[in-house]
Amino acid sequence: MRTASNPPPVIAIDGPTASGKGTVAMRVADQLSFHYLDSGALYRLVAFASEEAGISVDDESGLGAIASRMQVIFKDNKIFLNGKDVTKLIREEKIGTRASRLAIYPKVRDALLTLQREFRQNPGLVADGRDMASRIFTDAVLKVYLTASVQARAERRYKQLIAKGISARMNVLLQDLQERDARDINRGTAPLQRVEGAYLLDTSDLSVDQAVTQVLNWYAKLHH
Ligand code: DC
């Protein structure tokens, strides 16, 4: 029997934008039959909802209020916000950029805290984001810092967008990625960082399969 001192295990996968951590995290969760949390989607939802409501990206209180009022449902690989399917809408680059801008505010981050921790359920959770290991699940059994070179990430993001029928320009993507990295790494609250004890996984030259296998191997080793 599990007790409060023995909560469901968490695998935390943090890393910069377009590093492939979402794909890897989802596949690892699938392999282990664990739940999956895409925490970035929550920040994107705040970005989307606040834009629709006409709330400025400088209005911390307004953004915090929106974040605490959102009704979010993750179902069958779709994301519903207040009953509306926004799966595709929140993937737009301008929403990602807006998410990164409002993610600097403590009121926004605090409003999403409980929501994120609710995903921790048996038999376990794979959570990806920026502060999964450093703040949300500090007791994660496995912490991975998953990254790739800026060039590799820009190319992946480009292919992703084109495949989805969204137009994109490589030089714009590269610049946006670098700006987003700087913002996520340098902010005062819960910045992107590789915490002590986190395994470094550079996927610049790895396939998704290889990255998934590496994470599963690290996880399997915990039990020996
Ligand atoms: O992972 P992503 O690109 O979907 O995330 C969008 C933005 O949300 C990212 O640039 C910063 C923010 N974010 C965050 O601050 N903390 C997280 N745990 C996840 C995302």
Side-chain angles (χ1 to χ4, degrees), residues 145-157:
Y145 187 80
L146 193 153
T147 190
S149 68
V150 158
Q151 186 66 32
R153 290 189 282 130
E155 279 166 21
R156 282 178 198 165
R157 177 57 54 88

Side-chain angles (χ1 to χ4, degrees), residues 19-20 24 146-149 152-153 156 201-207 211:
S19 55
V24 172
L146 193 153
T147 190
S149 68
R153 290 189 282 130
R156 282 178 198 165
L201 185 55
D202 186 328
T203 65
S204 305
D205 301 311
L206 292 186
S207 67

Side-chain angles (χ1 to χ4, degrees), residues 125-138:
L125 173 70
V126 181
D128 87 58
R130 306 294 187 286
D131 61 343
M132 297 298 96
S134 65
R135 176 149 197 240
I136 309 298
F137 304 109
T138 50

Side-chain angles (χ1 to χ4, degrees), residues 101-120:
R101 291 182 63 191
L102 56 78
I104 66 170
Y105 298 121
K107 279 187 183 156
V108 172
R109 307 198 71 84
D110 289 349
L112 298 177
L113 202 65
T114 310
L115 185 58
Q116 294 177 85
R117 291 193 176 138
E118 279 170 0
F119 280 81
R120 183 175 203 166

